[in-house]
Amino acid sequence: MEFPNIELVGLNDEVLTLSALIQKKRLNLVLFYNTNCLGCTGRAIPLAYNLQQAYSFINLIVIHSNFRPTPFSSEEVLSVFTEQKSPFNIYREDKHELYDYFNCEGTPHWVMIDGHGEIQHSFFGSQEGAQMKLEYALQEVAQQFS
């Protein structure tokens, strides 16, 4: 499956698309989040990091979706990290177009995409129920990568 050709801008200003970030031999876990969302910065970002560490088959793709009229700067995105740097790549979308394409319900929103570009699961949230669904889904697909 090909995804819309929507520009994602990395924190070092490199421009990519979601299709370019998808890895064929891994499970692609896309996290849509926003810096102004406390559930995102307090739970989802740490969870994404922990999942990336726990599951070697995950290709983590973190997308900061913008809902305000002006884009977020790299500094604003990094401001939630203690050392002002992220342990993984973060990409910005200035007009929340991919967020809308995936029918996200809010932030944070997780989308699991297999190596063929097919959506396996889609979850909203970062509280215990969402974390449990995410963990179960990862355990379910882990068998394909062992």
Side-chain angles (χ1 to χ4, degrees), residues 2-8 15-22 98:
E2 280 294 314
F3 298 105
N5 204 18
I6 296 167
E7 286 187 355
L8 298 172
V15 177
L16 297 162
T17 63
L18 181 59
S19 295
L21 294 170
I22 296 292
L98 275 175

Side-chain angles (χ1 to χ4, degrees), residues 95-116:
K95 296 182 179 139
H96 59 83
E97 294 169 288
L98 275 175
Y99 171 94
D100 293 341
Y101 173 81
F102 284 104
N103 297 312
C104 294
E105 299 172 43
T107 58
H109 195 101
W110 311 82
V111 181
M112 290 183 183
I113 303 170
D114 68 18
H116 304 290

Side-chain angles (χ1 to χ4, degrees), residues 34-143:
N34 184 278
T35 293
N36 293 335
C37 164
L38 295 178
C40 297
T41 58
R43 289 185 299 265
I45 292 287
L47 177 59
Y49 175 77
N50 290 338
L51 292 173
Q52 182 185 38
Q53 299 302 306
Y55 296 97
S56 61
F57 59 84
I58 288 178
N59 174 38
L60 181 63
I61 302 169
V62 180
I63 300 175
H64 182 277
S65 296
N66 183 31
F67 301 98
R68 66 184 196 185
T70 57
F72 278 77
S73 68
S74 295
E75 292 76 23
E76 287 175 297
V77 171
L78 291 172
S79 69
V80 300
F81 295 94
T82 306
E83 296 179 17
Q84 305 299 302
K85 63 181 182 178
S86 173
F88 41 73
N89 291 328
I90 297 176
Y91 303 92
R92 294 170 290 167
E93 64 165 344
D94 290 336
K95 296 182 179 139
H96 59 83
E97 294 169 288
L98 275 175
Y99 171 94
D100 293 341
Y101 173 81
F102 284 104
N103 297 312
C104 294
E105 299 172 43
T107 58
H109 195 101
W110 311 82
V111 181
M112 290 183 183
I113 303 170
D114 68 18
H116 304 290
E118 299 298 321
I119 298 169
Q120 299 299 306
H121 296 281
S122 182
F123 302 102
F124 164 71
S126 63
Q127 293 181 334
E128 281 186 41
Q131 289 184 29
M132 194 177 332
K133 286 180 188 176
L134 191 55
E135 188 70 38
Y136 287 149
L138 285 169
Q139 289 174 9
E140 177 185 304
V141 297
Q143 298 168 8

Side-chain angles (χ1 to χ4, degrees), residues 9-26:
V9 180
L11 297 181
N12 295 323
D13 294 326
E14 68 276 18
V15 177
L16 297 162
T17 63
L18 181 59
S19 295
L21 294 170
I22 296 292
Q23 293 184 9
K24 300 223 181 286
K25 295 185 179 183
R26 297 176 79 188

